Amino acid sequence: MFTVFTGGSIGPWLVEAVHQIRGDGLPPAARLVVEPCPTIPPRGDPWSLVGVPSYVRYVHRNEKEQLTARQASLGRPEATRAALIPIAKTEEWWDLTQDERRSIFEERSRHIAASMKYLPAIARKLYQSRELGEPFDFLTWFEFAPEHSAMFDELVAMLRATEEWRYVRREVDVRLVKDA
Amino acid sequence: MFTVFTGGSIGPWLVEAVHQIRGDGLPPAARLVVEPCPTIPPRGDPWSLVGVPSYVRYVHRNEKEQLTARQASLGRPEATRAALIPIAKTEEWWDLTQDERRSIFEERSRHIAASMKYLPAIARKLYQSRELGEPFDFLTWFEFAPEHSAMFDELVAMLRATEEWRYVRREVDVRLVKDA
């Protein structure tokens, strides 16, 4: 089952801002809807992005146990702020071998360990897109309460300063507010 | 770009045999065609399978260098035999973490190291299917000369005896001959 994020005029999430972080941005949209879909639908207007939840690519057993113990699930009533961050990495990244990617991702960039302090305030779900012929390689969806917005900004700034982010060729940061 | 393997009445590959190795098999077909496709097409009659070439999930740098030095490419004129082996692994496998899957795949099952002796006689290409909502997780395509058929049988028998294969829930082995 695919998950489709459609920017347009309908949906429970109001688009607060669309930040073009690296490479091409996304056209403006007033609202966002997140829906499951059994097939990859035709491209939405002005945009839609498709991903699929998948198995972990870098996480080790001890890290998974820590993450499972600390992380919050999506849909908490107080989490009225969200962010959709689609990312594409360079061909250089994808040509690396598994040990090289893991080394940059965690041993040097501390992607998992350094993100741990933002749990459970920030809930997160990752969708893979690369194999679907999509413009991005993955889509990450975050949910948090308004009082944790500054903490979320700190999290994304921390990640963008890592060695891993040198391999990001396109990134857009869509900020959303739940239409109460 | 997706790659579609369609079993039916057309195509340059004659289906010699379809072996149901584990789980459900595939309906009989006389011929097979392998084609690139920009979108996931409707299911073929009697069957079609879709995959996409992707980045390596388990291979380390030293292994990649050995593989690159030894492997042959597809399309050699003498390679008039082929096999399409679609495989699905259990949910237990996909719930493992990266370090656990790598450990079973290579440190204990020697998937990469033990396969190395069959290169360059057996050419191989892997297509990912799991994220596409397909019935199999990946499709492996092999090409070899008729005199290497017994060697190919040895390779698949060796892999099927590994610890990794305990996590295979469905496997079909389609043997093909090029229509000269």
Side-chain angles (χ1 to χ4, degrees), chain B residues 3 8 11 27 49 51-52 59 67-68 72 75 83 85 94 96 119-122 131 133 146 151 158 165 171:
Chain B
T3 298
L49 299 171
V52 62
V59 171
L67 288 168
T68 304
I85 304 193
W94 297 113
L96 294 174
L119 305 180
I122 314 291
E131 278 73 36
M151 187 192 267
M158 178 274 289
W165 245 253
E171 178 177 6

Side-chain angles (χ1 to χ4, degrees), chain B residues 53-108:
Chain B
S54 190
Y55 61 95
V56 294
R57 302 296 207 267
Y58 300 108
V59 171
H60 287 186
R61 173 56 55 188
N62 60 325
E63 295 156 349
K64 185 170 183 175
E65 283 171 5
Q66 289 180 65
L67 288 168
T68 304
R70 296 191 62 155
Q71 71 200 355
S73 50
L74 299 183
R76 293 169 296 173
E78 70 274 22
T80 58
R81 297 293 179 277
L84 172 65
I85 304 193
I87 283 179
K89 284 182 171 171
T90 61
E91 285 311 303
E92 188 191 357
W93 171 264
W94 297 113
D95 285 343
L96 294 174
T97 52
Q98 176 65 29
D99 55 329
E100 291 169 328
R101 280 184 273 105
R102 161 74 197 189
S103 173
I104 295 166
F105 182 91
E106 187 58 21
E107 279 71 29
R108 280 137 66 186

Side-chain angles (χ1 to χ4, degrees), chain A residues 3-43:
Chain A
T3 298
V4 186
F5 299 82
T6 307
S9 55
I10 58 161
W13 293 97
L14 300 166
V15 178
E16 194 183 38
V18 179
H19 303 292
Q20 180 178 353
I21 306 295
R22 199 170 300 177
D24 290 345
L26 285 170
R31 288 172 178 266
L32 179 90
V33 60
V34 186
E35 287 174 314
C37 193
T39 57
I40 298 179
R43 193 67 62 194

Side-chain angles (χ1 to χ4, degrees), chain A residues 116-130:
Chain A
M116 206 77 80
K117 68 177 268 208
Y118 301 95
L119 304 179
I122 314 291
R124 171 188 171 280
K125 185 160 182 170
L126 180 68
Y127 300 85
Q128 298 285 336
S129 293
R130 184 172 172 81

